[in-house]
């Protein structure tokens, strides 16, 4: 269905019930946020959303489950990577859609949607009802929509301070990365589905559902979010020149990236000779010697800028941002979307 037709059909459909799961620590002015979100949704003909705040003990999964019990159609995840991932874990396997309202810096799923930290665009995408049914990955009962990783990528996250992220945004991760460029590699065994294990000396192993990193950099150009497969990247640079060559090839989007091997699988088990830092969707989890990921095919409804089956989820993101600005402005002037 063409995008404009989907928008028109969405406007004629029944109003959707929604909930906002928000991390109050990531929001500078929670009252202003509520005013904008409530006003924009009611101007679009939706009921005012339910609001749930995350806590230190529950970063969002329990709140999302409460929203599901209340019978909502859409859950807005408003926070950082941890909030979004908690919502993904609760929504996987349900018919309720996830919409992302990114706050703070470095939200990995928002980066793959092309939404950055644009609140208006996130609202417009949800109201226009563009949907994609995505695969998700599962690791030890937790879920991820973008990628899981062991090694350097998680070290970089751990070395990046919240203060630096707030001050300079996603480039803060570069600062964290520099601290670990010369660390020794991991000895890992990588089992892909039922194939014999691969043995590597790697700096990082990434298990990806989609391929865009922080700052909009595409690492895995062939990764698609609903093809039933992970794209696995094994990064093995050992020296600073190796890192520079690898980074330059990624930025140039070359088909072949030196010091990086790519594989595809539905199940991936990475085993190291020692405990390693690990992350899911840019959110650190407990270090461990093993990362075991399995794909759940077409398990998550996600609000996206376009409903078509384009490989890149950022299709129409810029136009959605413009429409979102008009949507928010109309809500402030008391106009209603018809």
């Amino acid at each position: 269905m063409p995008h404009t037709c989907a928008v028109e059909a969405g406007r004629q459909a029944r109003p959707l019930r929604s909930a906002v799961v928000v991390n109050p620590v990531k929001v500078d002015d929670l009252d202003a946020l509520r005013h904008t979100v409530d006003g924009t949704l009611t101007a679009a003909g939706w009921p005012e959303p339910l609001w749930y705040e995350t806590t230190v003990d529950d970063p969002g999964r329990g709140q999302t489950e409460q929203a599901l019990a209340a019978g909502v159609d859409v859950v807005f995840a408003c926070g950082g990577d941890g909030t979004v991932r908690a919502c993904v874990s609760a929504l996987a396997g349900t018919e309720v859609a996830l919409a992302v309202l990114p706050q703070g810096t470095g939200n990995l799923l928002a980066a793959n949607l092309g939404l950055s930290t644009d609140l208006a665009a996130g609202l417009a995408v949800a109201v226009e009802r563009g949907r994609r049914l995505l695969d998700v990955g599962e690791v030890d009962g937790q879920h991820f929509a973008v990628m899981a990783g062991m090694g350097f990528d998680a070290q970089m996250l751990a070395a990046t301070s919240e203060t630096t992220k707030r001050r300079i945004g996603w480039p803060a991760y570069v600062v964290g990365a520099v601290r670990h460029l010369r660390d020794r590699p991991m000895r890992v065994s990588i089992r892909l589905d039922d194939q014999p294990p691969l043995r590597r000396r790697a700096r990082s192993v990434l298990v990806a559902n989609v391929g865009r990193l922080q700052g909009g950099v595409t690492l895995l150009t062939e990764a698609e979010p609903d093809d039933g497969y992970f794209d696995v990247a094994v990064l093995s640079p050992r020296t600073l020149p190796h890192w520079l060559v690898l980074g330059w090839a990624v930025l140039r989007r070359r088909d072949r990236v030196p010091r990086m091997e790519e594989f595809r699988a539905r199940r991936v088990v990475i085993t190291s000779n020692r405990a390693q830092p690990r992350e899911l969707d840019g959110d650190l989890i407990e270090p461990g010697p093993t990362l075991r990921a399995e794909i759940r095919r077409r398990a998550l409804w996600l609000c996206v800028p376009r409903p078509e089956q384009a490989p890149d989820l950022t299709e129409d993101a810029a136009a959605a941002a413009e429409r979102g600005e008009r949507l928010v402005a109309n809500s402030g002037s008391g106009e209603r979307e018809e």
Side-chain angles (χ1 to χ4, degrees), residues 221-275:
T221 58
E222 299 299 319
E224 296 189 18
D226 50 9
D227 61 359
Y229 285 89
F230 291 126
D231 285 69
V232 182
V234 182
L235 281 65
S236 304
R238 297 188 183 183
T239 66
L240 182 58
H242 289 168
W243 279 112
L244 293 174
V245 170
L246 185 153
W248 181 247
V250 170
L251 291 173
R252 294 289 300 273
R253 295 192 179 186
R254 292 180 176 172
D255 292 335
R256 182 180 179 278
V257 177
R259 300 286 170 174
M260 186 176 88
E261 297 177 275
E262 297 182 44
F263 306 93
R264 303 185 79 226
R266 292 186 173 93
R267 297 185 310 279
V268 182
V269 181
I270 309 160
T271 305
S272 174
N273 60 326
R274 62 184 188 275

Side-chain angles (χ1 to χ4, degrees), residues 72-92:
V72 303
D73 303 293
V74 177
V75 171
F76 291 93
C78 185
D81 288 314
T83 305
V84 174
R85 188 170 63 80
C87 293
V88 168
S89 288
L91 293 175

Side-chain angles (χ1 to χ4, degrees), residues 109 113 131-136 145 209-210 225-226 296-302 304 313:
L109 184 54
L113 289 168
R131 302 286 189 269
R132 286 282 295 272
L133 192 55
L134 268 58
D135 305 332
V136 298
N209 188 37
V210 288
D226 50 9
R296 290 185 59 181
R297 182 78 193 276
R298 299 171 67 82
L300 176 71
W301 282 106
L302 181 66
V304 299
L313 293 174

Side-chain angles (χ1 to χ4, degrees), residues 205-226:
V205 183
L206 297 171
V207 181
N209 188 37
V210 288
R212 184 174 275 107
L213 304 175
Q214 304 291 2
V217 176
T218 300
L219 179 69
L220 293 158
T221 58
E222 299 299 319
E224 296 189 18
D226 50 9

